[in-house]
Amino acid sequence: MPSRDEISYFGAGPAPLPTPVIEQSAKALVNYEDTGLGLSEISHRSPTANKVLADAKAALAALYEIPTENEDGYEILFMQGGGTGEFSASVQACVGWWVEQRRRKAVAELGEGKDAEVVERVRKEIQQELKVDYLVTGSWSLKASQEASRLIGSKYVNVAIDARKSNSGKFGVIPGEDEWKLSDKKSSAMVYFCDNETVDGVEFPAFPESLKGRAGDDGVVVADMSSNFVSRKIDVRNYGIIFVSQALFALLLVGLLINEYQGGAQKNLGIAGITVIIVKKSLLALTPAPAFLQQLSDVLPSAIPPIVFDFATIAKNNSLYNTLPIFNLYVATLVLQSLVANFAEKKVSGQEELANRKAELIYEALDQYSDTYHVVPDKRVRSRMNICFRIKPKQDSGAEPGKWDDAREKEFLAGAEKQNLMGLKGHRSVGGMRASNYNAVSMASAEKLVAYMVQFARA
Ligand SMILES: Cc1ncc(COP(=O)(O)O)c(C=O)c1O
């Protein structure tokens, strides 16, 4: 039986956790700081739980340089519901903010006490103008756009790009910004994109130029950073909402820590339950009264979020409107605190350098042995986090060009497992191989994978 040190894990799901964090978390589960009670037995409203929450926020703000103090800064929220919950919450929030801005403008122009006229005017504007823009570059942004259609109706959903249309029906490219059909800024309640598409291995190389400088009344920029959070430096001020799905948040943070531990003992994380949202405070102030939205339900169904997904409510209650899994947050907090201490001045840039070096190493090997391997996405948008590739038939096999060799792919996976290179199977919806190069994957593991790829290609 292999020891934990011997395993290199490239799965897209749970990730290894450093032993010191597991040990400290285990202790906290049994008897938190010698209180005689475990952390998950203590009220989420207790001072203890509040401290965990405050520590998590402070560490995240420090690591990512998030301005949280000023009125024009950001709120950091911890919720449940995962990335999928945020598909719904983000569109409902942005549409609500758009409607509220229109309501305020109507009141300013028509005068106080003209409630019926105000409703009528906003109703017309919704019907004639409202749009939510989606950049569909992979399976997750597709799901998000489908959720928007389900909630508010497809007539309001503008798919500004569907990358499949430029790539023979498959994801794998991001068409140039000049091809995006974004709605007029005044009509747009949001522009949504998934920064890294986990299933398809497509990542935005940088923040899109055409979305820079959007303040809030010109399409709130929403980014799903579930699978590349803290893997590169970002300017938080470019975004209205950033969200990170529950499992991957802890996973990416943990990865940072593991690299700092220089190959310390590892274990699967297995902890999900916290979704992180970073949201602009000035937008929260635009949250409309549900009673106003109710009057518009004939043209705008399902625009009122369930209370647990209402960002303003969660912010007002310091993420404790309802029960928050404090223990899960505690594990992430331990990791965050260590990161702040370990990375010091370099912050996320230190991790970015490492992530880039590992990804380059793996892609270089795939490109060098292009007779054997085919990298699925276009070179310009290759994900540094999820490296998706296929295996070609042997040249003398007589197989049809462009087809993948299922038997060889199985052979590749079986051979990899024999060398303790685990979790390399692609997502079930697309097949092939996926080497997830999250922060948890050490340079040594990346090098082992490359050595195996070379050996397989030469065989
Ligand atoms: C980029 C991305 N967005 C959203 C999700 C969905 O997250 P959840 O499973 O937490 O709903 C995932 C899940 O892996 C993801 O990778």
Side-chain angles (χ1 to χ4, degrees):
M1 198 185 285
S3 75
R4 296 192 334 197
D5 295 357
E6 290 172 78
I7 298 286
S8 295
Y9 188 68
F10 299 93
L17 185 70
T19 301
V21 169
I22 303 168
E23 285 173 351
Q24 197 172 337
S25 305
K27 193 163 167 276
L29 197 56
V30 178
N31 188 350
Y32 180 69
E33 292 189 346
D34 298 324
T35 53
L37 281 172
L39 196 51
S40 45
E41 298 163 300
I42 294 171
S43 164
H44 61 289
R45 298 190 193 287
S46 62
T48 305
N50 264 283
K51 170 127 187 0
V52 173
L53 196 61
D55 288 349
K57 278 191 194 180
L60 190 55
L63 193 68
Y64 241 151
E65 298 176 59
I66 304 169
T68 52
E69 297 304 321
N70 318 336
E71 272 311 294
D72 67 342
Y74 287 75
E75 286 282 356
I76 298 172
L77 310 179
F78 299 107
M79 288 166 55
Q80 295 182 66
T84 307
E86 293 315 306
F87 296 165
S88 327
S90 57
V91 67
Q92 289 174 314
C94 291
V95 164
W97 298 333
W98 188 92
V99 168
E100 177 62 9
Q101 290 178 79
R102 295 305 178 111
R103 186 195 70 79
R104 289 183 189 184
K105 193 159 175 271
V107 171
E109 286 172 14
L110 297 170
E112 293 292 336
K114 299 271 175 51
D115 295 357
E117 284 102 314
V118 169
V119 170
E120 207 31 56
R121 179 150 145 186
V122 176
R123 174 181 283 113
K124 263 210 192 98
E125 290 181 358
I126 291 170
Q127 284 175 305
Q128 289 169 3
E129 292 181 56
L130 175 65
K131 290 285 174 216
V132 287
D133 291 316
Y134 281 82
L135 306 177
V136 174
T137 57
S139 315
W140 290 113
S141 48
L142 176 64
K143 281 203 165 148
S145 69
Q146 288 166 340
E147 175 61 357
S149 293
R150 193 182 71 84
L151 285 172
I152 61 168
S154 55
K155 63 177 177 292
Y156 300 119
V157 179
N158 173 43
V159 174
I161 43 160
D162 180 338
R164 292 172 297 184
K165 291 191 178 151
S166 314
N167 194 39
S168 319
K170 294 218 155 82
F171 289 120
V173 298
I174 301 181
E177 291 188 37
D178 52 337
E179 291 177 45
W180 301 1
K181 305 261 182 315
L182 292 169
S183 311
D184 179 70
K185 282 185 182 176
K186 289 281 163 255
S187 306
S188 178
M190 75 191 286
V191 186
Y192 179 106
F193 69 99
C194 177
D195 209 26
N196 182 65
E197 286 284 358
T198 323
V199 172
D200 311 281
V202 170
E203 186 176 25
F204 278 81
F207 186 80
E209 277 302 316
S210 50
L211 304 187
K212 280 189 179 156
R214 294 201 179 214
D217 61 349
D218 47 4
V220 174
V221 176
V222 179
D224 174 357
M225 285 195 197
S226 293
S227 51
N228 65 351
F229 194 60
V230 294
S231 73
R232 66 179 173 193
K233 200 169 155 48
I234 57 160
D235 182 356
V236 173
R237 290 201 174 274
N238 278 328
Y239 305 85
I241 302 174
I242 295 171
F243 71 83
V244 186
S245 95
Q246 42 193 1
L248 295 165
F249 166 55
L251 181 158
L252 286 157
L253 296 175
V254 160
L256 286 168
L257 187 59
I258 287 169
N259 288 313
E260 281 306 297
Y261 272 78
Q262 303 282 327
Q266 300 170 8
K267 189 182 187 299
N268 273 351
L269 173 59
I271 283 208
I274 296 283
T275 315
V276 183
I277 295 96
I278 302 166
V279 56
K280 213 173 183 152
K281 285 184 192 173
S282 57
L283 294 170
L284 294 178
L286 292 171
T287 303
F292 187 72
L293 286 177
Q294 278 159 10
Q295 294 177 78
L296 298 164
S297 60
D298 56 329
V299 291
L300 198 54
S302 308
I304 306 174
I307 196 87
V308 289
F309 286 138
D310 181 56
F311 296 145
T313 302
I314 303 303
K316 233 179 273 158
N317 290 277
N318 188 29
S319 298
L320 294 171
Y321 179 78
N322 68 323
T323 315
L324 190 70
I326 292 292
F327 177 73
N328 304 48
L329 187 60
Y330 174 72
V331 178
T333 306
L334 285 183
V335 178
L336 278 164
Q337 286 177 331
S338 314
L339 285 177
V340 174
N342 290 340
F343 271 89
E345 284 310 299
K346 270 201 158 180
K347 299 206 168 77
V348 179
S349 304
Q351 180 55 44
E352 181 172 1
E353 285 165 23
L354 185 57
N356 292 354
R357 278 210 308 278
K358 289 185 295 161
E360 276 161 20
L361 197 70
I362 298 170
Y363 280 123
E364 252 170 44
L366 291 169
D367 287 340
Q368 194 183 346
Y369 292 92
S370 59
D371 283 352
T372 301
Y373 302 112
H374 167 79
V375 178
V376 177
D378 181 80
K379 205 163 192 168
R380 286 161 296 185
V381 296
R382 287 175 174 180
S383 167
R384 300 160 310 124
M385 294 287 113
N386 307 99
I387 297 168
C388 296
F389 59 99
R390 306 293 314 231
I391 295 184
K392 298 175 182 174
K394 285 210 160 161
Q395 273 184 337
D396 53 6
S397 70
E400 207 182 314
K403 289 256 186 261
W404 315 124
D405 191 328
D406 291 345
R408 266 191 114 189
E409 289 190 339
K410 278 196 189 117
E411 194 192 321
F412 178 91
L413 290 170
E417 289 199 5
K418 277 201 192 118
Q419 298 194 19
N420 290 329
L421 300 163
M422 317 300 274
L424 286 162
K425 200 169 193 292
H427 190 270
R428 61 188 183 284
S429 64
V430 291
M433 256 69 62
R434 171 173 55 175
S436 289
N437 171 38
Y438 292 131
N439 300 336
V441 173
S442 66
M443 182 53 98
S445 288
E447 283 166 353
K448 268 188 218 159
L449 175 61
V450 165
Y452 171 65
M453 283 170 162
V454 172
Q455 178 200 329
F456 182 86
R458 285 185 180 162

